Amino acid sequence: MRALLATQLSSLFCCLLLLGGGALWGQTTFVVDEVPAQTPMEDSIYVVGSFNNWQPGEEAYRLYPKENGSYILTLGNLSPPFEYKFTRGSWATGESDPLGKPAGNRQQQNGEAPLTIVSKIEGWEDLPSLQAKAYLRIRVNRIPANTPEDASLFVTGDFNSWQPGDPEFELQAQDDGSWQVAVPLYRDTLEYKFLRGSWATVEGRKSGRARFNRQYVYQAEQAQPYVALQIESWEDLSGNVINAYTVFWLIAAIQGFLILIAINTIDRPIPTSNRLLSVLLLLFSFALLARVVVYDREIFQWQPKLLLVPDLLYFLYAPLFVLYIQRLLRSSPLVWDWKRWLIFLPFVLHLLAYLPLLLMDRETFVYKAVDRSLIPYFETVGGIALLYNMAYWWYAFRFIGRYRHESENQFSSGSNITFLSTIMWLKAFCLLLWVAIYVVGAYASIGERDLHSITDRMSDVLWIGFSLTVFLLGYFTIREPEIFRLPVQSEPEDADLISASPVEPREGLDFDPALRERLGDLMQNEQPYLNPGLSLSDLAAQVHSTPHELSRVINQGFGKNFNDFVNTYRVEAFKSKVLEPAYRNHTLLAVAFMVGFNSKTAFNRAFKKISGQTPGEYFRSQGSES
């Protein structure tokens, strides 16, 4: 009997244990750890969902308040999947977003019991968390010509949680052809966009590209906020928009590739300077192509990170251009030691800074690019790049000035680097425009104005300017290759990339009068100036002196630099020859070449500097006197 009773009690205990364990295993606990501040203290909070046929306010589904301000409810025999939301007892008091818009159903797709679901309620439909400060009346004066006649226009923004096609914010057509709508201002800064009912039909910029969110800054003193504007395009109807900028960039990119081929075939072997110029042309051509293709909406959606390609030139263009200038003006070979490679460190750091963007998934990148989230990122990198490029411009400017000074004291042909001066001043304009972009941006930020359309246009012009500097170099390399065959100077062994300063002429030194007399006799009798390639070293050898001593005699004894000293004899010889009957049938340029000049530009520059007149002015004055 005792054994039978023990067996029955054991069976009963096991059944109770299984039942209790089963109940525990099927438990789901709902926890609301935060509710809107305006929630009435006397109101109860209920959970409603697919598990109770969406009946709000059932007592069995009421959450119990805790001392810490949270609410909790445990339900048994409830397992995912299910949908639910919270109310205060009726559908009129259901949960919402902070603006009072109905919240979507919450979903619990999976999970193992016992399951705890922690939620936060952002607002109630009857008690929105944010109260409108005012209502902004928006008037759209013009819409794109290709807008379908039966299209409905909507505005969406942070005032309705960016819900497209919200009937409450549909624009109403007016008798005068405009469209109007009023939107609530919950915050000081409103962000919004127009669309035709879905994100696929959102507005775009005049170019057809995705536009940033529109902004409106509320001023408390405005009695009735109002704004009038126009919709420039629809992204889905813009097609492949062609404008002046894209046409220029496309032509420039194609020209860049053609010039690249040409400059690598005009000289054999290919000079190092042309190799560096080729790299610059290649990089700029790809960058311009990238700017063109991202104007296409489909390509931008497919490969939006092409937007970053032009930015990669920020820290690469300047050092490559300086290396090009150095190889063009210096005869020493380019040695790729660790110091040379070090100049590309900022470019490597730039790549690392952009790495998070490059690794970002496509959808997130598109969203952030369109809603201005990446602008502070780009502005910071661009500001650093501006200072970096300004420093390199200053170095290149001084380097060219140093070359001009040294060449005038070493070579009779001087330095035909007017084209480089033109390039440098064009670069200076670009840098000033770059500074102006930041000034306009700072003004817009301080004044809380939306001037992105202006800065975008300035940026487009900036890219045109920078591309012109490279393509002009390529053009001159092909059209006038002789100006690139400059008298080169050996680079000192201790010269580095970051320091270069013109050598100042030495003053207060004595010179040898006998050497001065020998030099004068040599120039008059043997006419060494007829040699276009005459250098200071060549002339020093002919008068049995050193370049240093000869330079001292020319500078102090004749009061000229070497270039002006030799060209004075050439100009006088030119004036004499053109008056001789034997040369009357020769052109002025032909005679100039006979007396030692090697180019028309060098001749005109020297003649004007020494005579104070151009050749034409000089001969007209001679004719009037006679």
Side-chain angles (χ1 to χ4, degrees), residues 593-606:
F593 285 158
M594 290 178 186
V595 298
F597 289 105
N598 65 348
S599 71
K600 180 180 179 180
T601 303
F603 165 64
N604 288 332
R605 184 173 63 246

Side-chain angles (χ1 to χ4, degrees), residues 526-544:
E526 300 186 23
Q527 300 179 329
Y529 56 82
L530 297 179
N531 174 16
L534 180 66
S535 67
L536 182 66
S537 299
D538 296 336
L539 192 58
Q542 295 183 46
V543 292
H544 309 291

Side-chain angles (χ1 to χ4, degrees), residues 247-312:
V247 169
F248 177 87
W249 292 332
L250 185 59
I251 294 175
I254 295 173
Q255 181 189 13
F257 287 120
L258 294 176
I259 294 175
L260 177 64
I261 296 172
I263 65 175
N264 284 278
T265 57
I266 60 175
D267 281 329
R268 293 293 178 183
I270 302 173
T272 303
S273 59
N274 278 6
R275 294 182 187 275
L276 291 167
L277 181 57
S278 298
V279 174
L280 279 173
L281 284 167
L282 186 64
L283 291 173
F284 254 101
S285 296
F286 275 121
L288 293 177
L289 279 179
R291 288 187 70 85
V292 171
V293 298
V294 294
Y295 266 81
D296 185 281
R297 181 172 179 267
E298 293 183 1
I299 294 179
F300 176 74
Q301 294 291 337
W302 171 53
Q303 290 294 336
K305 293 173 187 176
L306 287 172
L307 190 68
L308 302 177
V309 171
D311 288 11
L312 297 181

Side-chain angles (χ1 to χ4, degrees), residues 78-318:
L78 181 62
S79 59
F82 56 82
E83 295 185 359
Y84 67 102
K85 64 191 312 181
F86 298 99
T87 73
R88 299 199 326 277
S90 68
W91 286 120
T93 58
E95 65 173 313
S96 70
D97 65 13
L99 304 179
K101 293 292 182 181
N105 295 341
R106 300 175 184 264
Q107 295 184 348
Q108 186 67 35
Q109 297 295 340
N110 49 52
E112 297 182 356
L115 178 64
T116 300
I117 302 174
V118 180
S119 305
K120 171 187 175 181
I121 300 175
E122 295 184 322
W124 302 110
E125 290 187 43
D126 60 325
L127 300 172
S129 301
L130 299 176
Q131 299 296 324
K133 299 180 179 182
Y135 278 81
L136 172 65
R137 187 162 59 92
I138 300 175
R139 176 189 175 95
V140 176
N141 292 322
R142 190 171 67 184
I143 62 177
N146 60 349
T147 304
E149 293 185 2
D150 59 347
S152 297
L153 307 185
F154 300 85
V155 62
T156 183
D158 51 18
F159 54 85
N160 73 338
S161 299
W162 295 98
Q163 296 297 318
D166 189 337
E168 185 177 346
F169 298 106
E170 180 179 356
L171 278 73
Q172 302 301 316
Q174 307 297 307
D175 293 338
D176 61 359
S178 65
W179 301 71
Q180 294 191 24
V181 67
V183 299
L185 296 171
Y186 295 108
R187 304 177 180 87
D188 288 339
T189 300
L190 168 71
E191 293 199 2
Y192 63 102
K193 273 187 176 180
F194 298 102
L195 35 73
R196 302 197 319 277
S198 69
W199 286 114
T201 60
V202 69
E203 65 171 321
R205 285 188 272 181
K206 188 175 182 180
S207 63
R209 297 176 65 184
R211 67 163 296 135
F212 297 125
N213 297 338
R214 295 180 182 268
Q215 283 188 342
Y216 176 82
V217 180
Y218 172 66
Q219 305 291 338
E221 62 272 13
Q222 288 180 292
Q224 186 178 5
Y226 168 83
V227 63
L229 41 80
Q230 65 183 39
I231 300 174
E232 296 178 324
S233 73
W234 302 111
E235 283 193 25
D236 61 319
L237 300 179
S238 59
N240 298 324
V241 178
I242 299 297
N243 58 37
Y245 297 107
T246 55
V247 169
F248 177 87
W249 292 332
L250 185 59
I251 294 175
I254 295 173
Q255 181 189 13
F257 287 120
L258 294 176
I259 294 175
L260 177 64
I261 296 172
I263 65 175
N264 284 278
T265 57
I266 60 175
D267 281 329
R268 293 293 178 183
I270 302 173
T272 303
S273 59
N274 278 6
R275 294 182 187 275
L276 291 167
L277 181 57
S278 298
V279 174
L280 279 173
L281 284 167
L282 186 64
L283 291 173
F284 254 101
S285 296
F286 275 121
L288 293 177
L289 279 179
R291 288 187 70 85
V292 171
V293 298
V294 294
Y295 266 81
D296 185 281
R297 181 172 179 267
E298 293 183 1
I299 294 179
F300 176 74
Q301 294 291 337
W302 171 53
Q303 290 294 336
K305 293 173 187 176
L306 287 172
L307 190 68
L308 302 177
V309 171
D311 288 11
L312 297 181
L313 288 180
Y314 278 168
F315 297 92
L316 195 57
Y317 170 79

Side-chain angles (χ1 to χ4, degrees), residues 404-463:
R404 180 185 291 108
H405 175 79
E406 293 179 353
S407 64
E408 289 177 349
N409 284 281
Q410 295 182 33
F411 302 100
S412 64
S413 58
S415 56
N416 186 14
I417 56 174
T418 305
F419 75 99
L420 282 182
S421 299
T422 302
I423 295 296
M424 291 304 296
W425 288 116
L426 179 56
K427 288 182 182 296
F429 167 77
C430 293
L431 291 172
L432 289 176
L433 181 60
W434 199 344
V435 171
I437 292 174
Y438 274 85
V439 171
V440 173
Y443 171 77
S445 178
I446 295 173
E448 296 183 329
R449 298 173 180 270
D450 185 5
L451 300 178
H452 284 92
S453 59
I454 297 177
T455 54
D456 284 349
R457 290 290 176 264
M458 294 173 71
S459 179
D460 290 339
V461 174
L462 174 63
W463 269 95

Side-chain angles (χ1 to χ4, degrees), residues 351-369:
L351 281 180
L352 293 177
Y354 269 25
L355 193 59
L357 302 182
L358 295 171
L359 297 178
M360 189 180 293
D361 66 89
R362 183 175 58 83
E363 290 77 10
T364 303
F365 183 86
V366 171
Y367 175 77
K368 289 182 175 293

